[in-house]
Amino acid sequence: MENITRRFILSFTLLLLLSAAGAAASPFKVIGEVADSTGEPEIYATVRVYAAADSLKPVSLGVTDDMGRFSQGLPKAGGYRLTVTSVGKQPVDLPFEVSASSPVRDFGKLTVGENKNELAEVEVVAQRPLVTREIDRIGYDVKADPESQTNTLQEMLRKVPLVTVEADGTIKVKGSTNFKIYKNGRPNNSFTKNAKDIFAAIPASSIKKIEVITDPGAREDAEGVGAILNIVTDSEASLRGVTGNASFFLDNNNLEPLPNLYLTSQIDKVTFSVYGGESCSNRKESRQRMEQRDIYYETGNSLYSYGESESVNRSGWGGIEASWEPDTLNLLTLEAQGWLWNRSDYSGSGHTALFGPDGTELYSYSRRNLDPAANYFDFDGSANYQRSTRRKGETITLSYRLSTTRQHSDALTEYYDKVNCDFLYSAIGNNTRQTFFEHTGQADWSRPFGDRHKLDVGAKAIFRRNHSTNFQEYRDVASYETDFTHHTTVAAIYGDYRVTLGKWNLRAGMRYEYSYLSARFLRQGNGDHPDFSSKLNDWVPSAGVSYNLTDAITLKASYNRNIRRPGISYLDPARSVTPTTVSYGNPDLESEVYNNVSAEMSMYTNKFNLSFYLGGTIVNNALCENKWVADDITYSTYGNIGKVRSFTSWLYFQWTIGPKTSLMCNLSTGYNHFSNPDMSRSGWWWNPYLRAVQKLPWKLELTGSGYYWSGSVNSPYNQFKPTGDSGIGYSLSLTRRFLKEDRLTVTLGANNFASSKHNTFASHTWTPSSYSEYLSIGSDTRRSFSLRVSYRFGSLNTSVKKTAASINNDDLQGRKKN
């Protein structure tokens, strides 16, 4: 462990030394200080540097810091033009030169006067800061960043506050993977499931803005979601054009190239985008080993099991979206996306034995697992019509959405070499099919009142149908079949009001939802389950307030309540039985209610970004697994019997050390306490993440990153922890761009190159009558060396339009496959 830590520190030390060397290799820059006519620093003034012969594309772009200072790196010696703009101030436009003998041009103090004749339209055209803040979100202006013309969306995400992109492409928001991904204000399941592959293919030139919605409110309808990452496409262009990005990825553990494609084009007034990709894990990547030991307090017996499995898993995704804008007041959008997963060539085996208190073997058996069929498919399609009125900013939107999910598994476990076993069957077959259909209609009205007030109201109706069939065969003994149908109807209305009063911003929202749930059992299976129905009334308030202490520093506090409804996998009462376990769902579950409070301080300048967050969550009816042991058999089901008390904090900073060097840190920590009538468990968790980037000569870019994860408590029974060096991860990557306009990008990467081959995790589980320790040993693919190649073709002059509002359903647990 000490050797790994030393190697990790050495890697980052080497990276920082290369950073210093790279900074020294680029001596050309322009510096200065901007003040207004009273001598006060002009904060967040936009600073652009153009080549002397170019008035369109800046070679360097930035903003002044909280002291009005700026320092812009330059690519080479020569003639340039400096412009400084700020809202309500007269622009500055000055020519200058740098040379080998005079590499730094210092303008000293520049004064910008008041622009008394400036029109309102000029204020709109003025350059926006790259980072913007609203009361519930942080935005990054991708379109204003010159690098968006050559980077992918994945690369731009690394610049967004509160977002981290790990070496393998895994995206975290506020240090957590518990977030939803929206596209143009509506959930996108393909993005959420496969962001690290899809975002590596989408060209950043098609993106207008990236928003991190830190406090989802009533209008986002984001029940149970900690944060939202909203990708806003560029809807302002109107010229014809076509663009695309094709890429592939491979590493030493899987030499099969994994392709991705993204294409955007326009025909007359119809604009459309298509995208798709594939992912695959082979037997080596999916290989797993496990060891488990259970101790039963009542009898003193202990159960020991071990096993291994491997399979081939393949998934594919694709989507299309289109918009038609017959005139400036009407807009129609259509969107469809799907995700398909399939597991094949599955095999597994293991051995189980029960021992008495004196070590005598009481019984034992071996097992062989066969899984000839397992697949999953989901599809989401939506249509939105938006009508804009003559009042600026006022829109009426009508939306319809269809979502469907299909799951099927056909598994068989055979038992042999049985010694003193009291179960008579020789195998268990389990054939399960689940289907999910959801129809949603929604109407939204958004209207500003003057320059300070805005009101959003809307109504929604959801019709869900869950159907599950389960056929269980206990070879040589019996068979059971369960046919379960579950219907949910939801009617909801919401209102969201926002007001700006000088440096104060306030918002308040309320959502009311009426739910009718009914269940019918056409075939009972192994047990008696009467039909049932239930009516639920849920009020979901939200509120927030922020104060701009300065142009760069904001203080914010918020409260919101979220609900989560149980999905069919929690409701299905079909009993799953093995020689050592019995588990089943509970059709009488109700919605969980989450109460969340948070406080945040943020500071954004052109050189240094800082955010500090404190948050707490209280749940009094958490959906919790209920476990007990009888006759050395573990039983489990679900109930609204849990209580949750959690505390979370994170510290984010991004420091631009020089024009080619940056450092970013995202430190997350928290405390969780879970309890039910029988058990309680609590503990701290830590998750720091560090990343450094250095641009080198010859269009090279070196990136190093590392993280540590301590493990966490996630239920009243369970604690999950990494063992050895599995909680430490790090990577180095080198990127080079080629061809005209940097159209070809090649990235070489190395992950955990000095660590152990396997990720190993230990799970400890306590019940009132037992203790269990489960050790999971992953495949030997932790060390990897990868190649990613991306080619951008065509030229983008248009992008798919979007409506101002659409349908978001995120209240359901258990629908999606993890």
Side-chain angles (χ1 to χ4, degrees):
M1 182 67 180
E2 293 180 355
N3 291 334
I4 297 302
T5 305
R6 284 197 294 267
R7 290 170 182 167
F8 177 70
I9 296 173
L10 181 60
S11 297
F12 271 100
T13 303
L14 177 60
L15 179 63
L16 292 177
L17 289 175
L18 287 173
S19 299
S26 180
F28 304 108
K29 63 181 178 179
V30 56
I31 62 176
E33 183 178 345
V34 183
D36 62 17
S37 57
T38 66
E40 291 295 318
E42 188 66 22
I43 300 173
Y44 259 0
T46 300
V47 180
R48 288 193 184 101
V49 180
Y50 297 90
D54 187 352
S55 299
L56 298 177
K57 185 178 179 180
V59 298
S60 181
L61 171 66
V63 292
T64 58
D65 62 16
D66 53 1
M67 297 298 293
R69 296 169 299 195
F70 65 88
S71 176
Q72 303 292 118
L74 304 173
K76 59 183 179 180
Y80 294 94
R81 187 165 56 86
L82 171 75
T83 68
V84 180
T85 57
S86 184
V87 177
K89 302 294 170 50
Q90 295 179 355
V92 173
D93 192 334
L94 298 170
F96 69 96
E97 292 184 356
V98 292
S99 62
S101 60
S102 181
V104 179
R105 177 62 165 95
D106 187 353
F107 277 98
K109 179 175 286 190
L110 299 173
T111 301
V112 291
E114 298 291 332
N115 192 350
K116 298 180 180 179
N117 297 322
E118 186 173 30
L119 301 177
E121 290 78 6
V122 176
E123 294 183 9
V124 175
V125 175
Q127 173 67 22
R128 304 176 297 272
L130 293 176
V131 178
T132 59
R133 301 180 304 270
E134 295 182 37
I135 191 171
D136 62 343
R137 68 192 65 196
I138 296 168
Y140 187 85
D141 194 341
V142 177
K143 195 173 181 181
D145 191 329
E147 292 188 10
S148 65
Q149 299 305 308
T150 57
N151 283 350
T152 65
L153 175 56
Q154 184 187 71
E155 291 171 318
M156 297 304 295
L157 277 173
R158 301 180 191 274
K159 298 185 174 186
V160 179
L162 312 184
V163 179
T164 59
V165 182
E166 295 183 357
D168 64 349
T170 299
I171 300 170
K172 292 185 177 180
V173 177
K174 299 196 300 186
S176 171
T177 56
N178 180 30
F179 66 95
K180 295 287 185 180
I181 299 178
Y182 285 9
K183 184 177 182 182
N184 297 329
R186 55 181 176 269
N188 189 296
N189 292 321
S190 294
F191 279 12
T192 299
K193 288 180 176 298
N194 304 282
K196 69 179 182 180
D197 294 310
I198 297 177
F199 286 5
I202 296 179
S205 55
S206 66
I207 306 301
K208 177 181 178 181
K209 182 170 57 174
I210 300 171
E211 293 181 332
V212 181
I213 304 176
T214 55
D215 299 299
R219 69 179 185 180
E220 276 78 34
D221 190 20
E223 291 89 345
V225 177
I228 296 173
L229 184 63
N230 185 32
I231 309 299
V232 182
T233 57
D234 185 1
S235 61
E236 296 178 354
S238 59
L239 300 177
R240 297 176 183 271
V242 61
T243 188
N245 186 288
S247 66
F248 71 86
F249 172 86
L250 59 84
D251 64 20
N252 61 299
N253 297 311
N254 188 352
L255 297 179
E256 177 183 348
L258 302 178
N260 296 278
L261 176 67
Y262 183 91
L263 177 68
T264 299
S265 186
Q266 177 176 320
I267 302 175
D268 293 330
K269 294 185 177 181
V270 176
T271 307
F272 66 92
S273 294
V274 294
Y275 55 89
E278 181 186 18
S279 179
C280 177
S281 62
N282 55 32
R283 286 183 172 272
K284 178 182 179 182
E285 293 176 301
S286 65
R287 188 174 297 130
Q288 297 285 328
R289 288 178 291 162
M290 58 76 65
E291 296 180 15
Q292 180 171 340
R293 183 177 298 276
D294 298 84
I295 300 175
Y296 305 110
Y297 302 147
E298 182 178 345
T299 62
N301 297 336
S302 62
L303 184 73
Y304 175 74
S305 299
Y306 68 86
E308 60 182 15
S309 65
E310 59 182 30
S311 62
V312 176
N313 301 282
R314 188 175 296 275
S315 63
W317 62 91
I320 183 171
E321 57 180 12
S323 65
W324 177 49
E325 190 176 25
D327 53 52
T328 58
L329 298 180
N330 296 279
L331 174 63
L332 176 65
T333 68
L334 301 172
E335 184 174 356
Q337 61 266 331
W339 189 78
L340 175 66
W341 172 84
N342 181 72
R343 181 173 64 195
S344 61
D345 299 328
Y346 177 88
S347 63
S349 61
H351 184 79
T352 299
L354 181 70
F355 299 92
D358 59 355
T360 304
E361 182 179 286
L362 302 180
Y363 72 75
S364 66
Y365 61 87
S366 296
R367 64 186 181 277
R368 180 168 46 246
N369 302 93
L370 300 175
D371 194 356
N375 55 70
Y376 174 94
F377 171 73
D378 73 35
F379 171 83
D380 291 88
S382 63
N384 305 277
Y385 169 70
Q386 176 181 290
R387 170 69 180 181
S388 299
T389 70
R390 300 294 180 180
R391 180 186 297 272
K392 183 179 179 181
E394 183 179 23
T395 59
I396 300 172
T397 307
L398 302 176
S399 305
Y400 167 77
R401 176 174 174 156
L402 167 67
S403 298
T404 182
T405 298
R406 295 180 181 271
Q407 301 181 60
H408 176 221
S409 64
D410 187 4
L412 178 67
T413 302
E414 297 178 332
Y415 301 96
Y416 60 97
D417 293 340
K418 297 191 295 182
V419 178
N420 297 328
C421 294
D422 58 1
F423 59 91
L424 301 178
Y425 49 84
S426 59
I428 298 177
N430 200 323
N431 191 310
T432 302
R433 295 180 183 271
Q434 295 183 355
T435 58
F436 169 89
F437 280 96
E438 178 182 83
H439 301 271
T440 305
Q442 183 169 325
D444 299 276
W445 174 50
S446 179
R447 178 176 176 176
F449 292 86
D451 297 330
R452 298 182 176 181
H453 306 271
K454 185 179 181 182
L455 178 66
D456 291 273
V457 296
K460 177 195 288 191
I462 307 174
F463 304 93
R464 291 179 178 141
R465 181 182 184 272
N466 295 276
H467 184 214
S468 172
T469 61
N470 181 265
F471 180 79
Q472 293 176 305
E473 179 186 8
Y474 296 87
R475 185 183 294 174
D476 307 322
V477 177
S479 62
Y480 306 97
E481 186 174 4
T482 301
D483 193 327
F484 171 57
T485 300
H486 176 238
H487 293 265
T488 301
T489 301
V490 179
I493 57 174
Y494 79 89
D496 185 274
Y497 169 72
R498 304 183 181 216
V499 60
T500 300
L501 302 172
K503 294 186 176 183
W504 291 91
N505 293 275
L506 300 96
R507 70 178 176 96
M510 177 64 74
R511 186 177 195 86
Y512 167 73
E513 295 198 355
Y514 167 81
S515 306
Y516 176 75
L517 301 88
S518 63
R520 185 182 180 189
F521 301 89
L522 302 180
R523 283 182 288 274
Q524 295 293 311
N526 186 18
D528 184 20
H529 306 288
D531 298 345
F532 80 96
S533 63
S534 178
K535 297 179 182 180
L536 302 175
N537 294 275
D538 294 302
W539 292 91
V540 186
S542 60
V545 58
S546 69
Y547 177 73
N548 298 326
L549 195 62
T550 68
D551 289 341
I553 301 175
T554 300
L555 305 177
K556 184 175 69 174
S558 65
Y559 163 80
N560 61 63
R561 174 182 293 173
N562 301 321
I563 63 172
R564 294 184 185 178
R565 298 186 182 90
I568 191 170
S569 61
Y570 295 98
L571 297 164
D572 190 349
R575 297 169 71 89
S576 177
V577 179
T578 74
T580 59
T581 64
V582 177
S583 62
Y584 52 93
N586 178 6
D588 296 323
L589 298 175
E590 62 184 26
S591 302
E592 298 175 283
V593 178
Y594 286 69
N595 292 285
N596 311 293
V597 294
S598 65
E600 183 179 351
M601 185 279 290
S602 60
M603 178 181 69
Y604 299 110
T605 70
N606 68 326
K607 295 291 185 182
F608 192 82
N609 295 334
L610 174 69
S611 290
F612 180 68
Y613 168 94
L614 294 173
T617 298
I618 296 176
V619 187
N620 291 320
N621 67 335
L623 196 159
C624 180
E625 193 174 15
N626 185 18
K627 290 186 175 184
W628 67 96
V629 175
D631 298 325
D632 294 343
I633 295 177
T634 301
Y635 292 80
S636 65
T637 185
Y638 301 97
N640 293 102
I641 58 174
K643 294 182 182 294
V644 178
R645 304 291 186 268
S646 68
F647 161 79
T648 303
S649 69
W650 46 261
L651 174 66
Y652 168 92
F653 76 80
Q654 185 172 16
W655 177 28
T656 303
I657 302 173
K660 296 189 176 184
T661 309
S662 64
L663 183 67
M664 187 269 286
C665 177
N666 194 340
L667 172 60
S668 304
T669 184
Y671 178 82
N672 294 332
H673 177 80
F674 299 89
S675 63
N676 64 20
D678 298 322
M679 299 288 294
S680 66
R681 193 149 304 280
S682 59
W684 287 89
W685 57 268
W686 304 84
N687 185 203
Y689 178 87
L690 181 67
R691 177 174 174 268
V693 179
Q694 175 62 52
K695 293 183 178 180
L696 303 172
W698 309 299
K699 296 183 179 181
L700 290 170
E701 182 176 281
L702 179 64
T703 302
S705 64
Y707 68 88
Y708 171 73
W709 181 60
S710 64
S712 62
V713 173
N714 47 33
S715 80
Y717 304 102
N718 186 263
Q719 184 174 16
F720 192 66
K721 296 184 66 175
T723 62
D725 62 354
S726 296
I728 298 175
Y730 52 90
S731 68
L732 289 173
S733 66
L734 186 66
T735 299
R736 174 70 159 87
R737 293 177 173 84
F738 302 88
L739 303 182
K740 184 180 179 181
E741 298 179 343
D742 295 336
R743 289 179 177 268
L744 179 65
T745 302
V746 179
T747 301
L748 299 175
N751 298 328
N752 305 311
F753 43 82
S755 300
S756 60
K757 293 182 178 181
H758 308 279
N759 277 320
T760 307
F761 299 95
S763 176
H764 304 270
T765 303
W766 295 264
T767 74
S769 53
S770 68
Y771 166 75
S772 175
E773 181 180 21
Y774 181 90
L775 186 67
S776 173
I777 304 172
S779 58
D780 57 350
T781 58
R782 189 169 183 235
R783 301 177 188 172
S784 66
F785 300 90
S786 62
L787 168 67
R788 183 182 296 275
V789 178
S790 176
Y791 178 69
R792 178 173 53 88
F793 55 89
S795 59
L796 181 73
N797 294 310
T798 187
S799 60
V800 176
K801 293 281 186 174
K802 63 182 185 296
T803 55
S806 60
I807 293 171
N808 311 324
N809 293 342
D810 296 312
D811 59 325
L812 191 64
Q813 291 198 76
R815 173 196 168 194
K816 299 298 183 183
K817 179 179 179 65
N818 293 324

